[in-house]
Amino acid sequence: MDSAEQVKEVYAHFGLAIYLSQVLEHGIGNALVYASLIPNNIGKIRSSSEWHEKFDQFLGAHFEKTLGRMISALKTELTVPDDLESLLSAALKNRNWLAHHYFRERSDEFMNEAGRMKMISELEETQALFSRADETLEAVTKPLRDKYGFTDERIEQFFKEYCSEREIDV
């Protein structure tokens, strides 16, 4: 592989890693909806529009927080098993490293083929970490989702309707 293609591959892996960190962040937002927003508003919301407004405000407020503060909020609303806590801690550390230090710390490696291969490998490991954290979070929150009627089947149906309405190919 020529160096220009390898550079593009490093950027692609970095982009995927950051994307997966944002998927995890959104998963934490969803978990907070199931652990806090829904149970604290049962019987209080009178209309679909009121629900949408409350939902948007809730997620908006949480998405203004740093990932670390979102994780802290999650731990106040939900019992977080040790394995998930470890994954979230590692994910936070890795996300901050990627966002604030990665290319500066890897500037020498980025200049040669062996270094770029090392970068690709560590970015793949980081991607796997974010995916494991998100999958573990999903498993922890699934009973809450199911309790409030957000079953896998219902979510799949919503996704199909969403894509159909927007003419998105799936």
Side-chain angles (χ1 to χ4, degrees), residues 33-46 51 54 144 147-150:
V33 167
Y34 302 128
S36 179
L37 179 66
I38 293 173
N40 291 329
N41 286 283
I42 290 176
K44 296 177 184 175
I45 296 176
R46 305 267 184 256
W51 164 251
K54 183 80 88 172
L144 277 175
K147 176 181 177 180
Y148 297 117
F150 294 95

Side-chain angles (χ1 to χ4, degrees), residues 25-136:
E25 188 174 31
H26 207 283
I28 293 168
N30 290 340
L32 287 165
V33 167
Y34 302 128
S36 179
L37 179 66
I38 293 173
N40 291 329
N41 286 283
I42 290 176
K44 296 177 184 175
I45 296 176
R46 305 267 184 256
S47 68
S48 177
S49 63
E50 186 181 350
W51 164 251
H52 288 291
E53 183 179 337
K54 183 80 88 172
F55 178 84
D56 289 344
Q57 287 173 350
F58 181 86
L59 277 182
H62 282 291
F63 287 145
E64 287 179 7
K65 296 176 183 176
T66 64
L67 179 58
R69 289 183 189 234
M70 285 184 73
I71 291 170
S72 293
L74 179 69
K75 291 194 290 189
T76 65
E77 297 293 339
L78 186 68
T79 301
V80 176
D82 291 342
D83 61 332
L84 177 56
E85 187 163 354
S86 294
L87 285 168
L88 291 173
S89 177
L92 173 62
K93 181 181 176 186
N94 276 269
R95 182 260 171 221
N96 288 342
W97 172 62
L98 286 176
H100 303 293
H101 306 285
Y102 188 74
F103 280 104
R104 181 176 43 83
E105 289 183 5
R106 294 294 181 265
S107 61
D108 290 343
E109 289 88 345
F110 196 61
M111 297 300 158
N112 63 70
E113 182 179 349
R116 288 187 297 269
M117 291 304 295
K118 177 185 170 201
M119 291 172 73
I120 290 167
S121 177
E122 70 188 357
L123 288 166
E124 288 173 336
E125 289 173 17
T126 302
Q127 293 161 14
L129 168 66
F130 292 137
S131 293
R132 276 193 317 276
D134 187 55
E135 290 164 5
T136 304

